[in-house]
């Protein structure tokens, strides 16, 4: 009896089995596609995060460089002004006989102590 049913409906059974196999492979392909899409989305998020961090680091480095250049320019400007003042003072005092006399040691020491108290952290006097 079963053999008679198989002979009669073999084409139908074959179509049902083919649909079942196709459904299995479609479901498997769909699951793999979802997995790969999730992995791709996570990789994109990681790449975007890495790019943002890199951009922040570059911005910070540029800012530090700009601050360093501004500080160096200010130091150079102050040094130039100091040199200009020294030349001006020497020219102004060139003919003054009092300017050619030595400062008493006690007065010089007192002035150095006062200058050092104004500049905390200085290791000593400026020897020019």
């Amino acid at each position: 009896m079963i053999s008679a049913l198989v002979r009669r409906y073999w084409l139908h059974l074959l179509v049902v089995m083919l649909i079942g196999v196709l459904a299995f492979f479609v479901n498997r392909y769909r699951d793999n596609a979802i997995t790969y899409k999730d992995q791709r989305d996570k990789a994109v998020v990681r790449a975007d995060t890495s790019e943002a961090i890199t951009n922040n680091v570059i911005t910070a480095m540029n800012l530090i460089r700009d601050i360093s250049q501004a500080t160096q320019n200010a130091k150079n400007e102050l040094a130039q002004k100091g040199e200009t003042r020294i030349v001006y003072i020497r020219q102004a005092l060139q003919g003054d006989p009092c300017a050619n006399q030595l400062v008493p040691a006690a007065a010089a020491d007192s002035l150095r102590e006062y200058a050092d108290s104004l500049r905390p952290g200085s290791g000593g006097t400026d020897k020019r």
Side-chain angles (χ1 to χ4, degrees), residues 89-104:
I89 290 171
R90 284 186 181 154
Q91 288 174 351
L93 296 177
Q94 193 170 14
D96 190 358
C98 182
N100 293 329
Q101 294 178 2
L102 295 176
V103 176

Side-chain angles (χ1 to χ4, degrees), residues 14 17 26 34 45 48 51 72 77 84 91 94 105 110 112 128:
L14 184 64
M17 285 191 322
V26 165
I34 290 171
V45 168
D48 290 345
E51 185 177 347
Q72 187 61 40
E77 186 177 324
T84 304
Q91 288 174 351
Q94 193 170 14
S110 173
R112 277 194 201 106
R128 288 191 189 194

Side-chain angles (χ1 to χ4, degrees), residues 73-87:
N73 290 343
K75 284 181 181 180
N76 291 341
E77 186 177 324
L78 286 174
Q80 183 63 33
K81 284 182 181 179
E83 293 296 324
T84 304
R85 280 191 212 115
I86 289 172
V87 170

Side-chain angles (χ1 to χ4, degrees), residues 1-17:
M1 170 138 171
I2 291 181
S3 63
L5 286 174
V6 170
R7 273 190 237 148
R8 183 171 179 184
Y9 295 110
W10 71 271
L11 186 58
H12 296 357
L13 290 173
L14 184 64
V15 169
V16 168
M17 285 191 322

Side-chain angles (χ1 to χ4, degrees), residues 5-113:
L5 286 174
V6 170
R7 273 190 237 148
R8 183 171 179 184
Y9 295 110
W10 71 271
L11 186 58
H12 296 357
L13 290 173
L14 184 64
V15 169
V16 168
M17 285 191 322
L18 185 61
I19 290 173
V21 168
L22 286 174
F24 172 77
F25 283 115
V26 165
N27 190 36
R28 185 169 179 202
Y29 174 76
R30 180 181 164 278
D31 290 344
N32 286 343
I34 290 171
T35 302
Y36 293 141
K37 181 185 177 298
D38 289 342
Q39 289 174 354
R40 185 200 64 207
D41 291 344
K42 288 177 185 176
V44 167
V45 168
R46 281 194 307 266
D48 290 345
T49 303
S50 297
E51 185 177 347
I53 290 171
T54 302
N55 288 338
N56 287 342
V57 168
I58 290 171
T59 302
M61 294 303 291
N62 287 337
L63 184 62
I64 291 170
R65 185 196 69 221
D66 292 345
I67 291 170
S68 175
Q69 286 176 349
T71 302
Q72 187 61 40
N73 290 343
K75 284 181 181 180
N76 291 341
E77 186 177 324
L78 286 174
Q80 183 63 33
K81 284 182 181 179
E83 293 296 324
T84 304
R85 280 191 212 115
I86 289 172
V87 170
Y88 174 74
I89 290 171
R90 284 186 181 154
Q91 288 174 351
L93 296 177
Q94 193 170 14
D96 190 358
C98 182
N100 293 329
Q101 294 178 2
L102 295 176
V103 176
D109 290 341
S110 173
L111 288 173
R112 277 194 201 106
E113 287 176 14

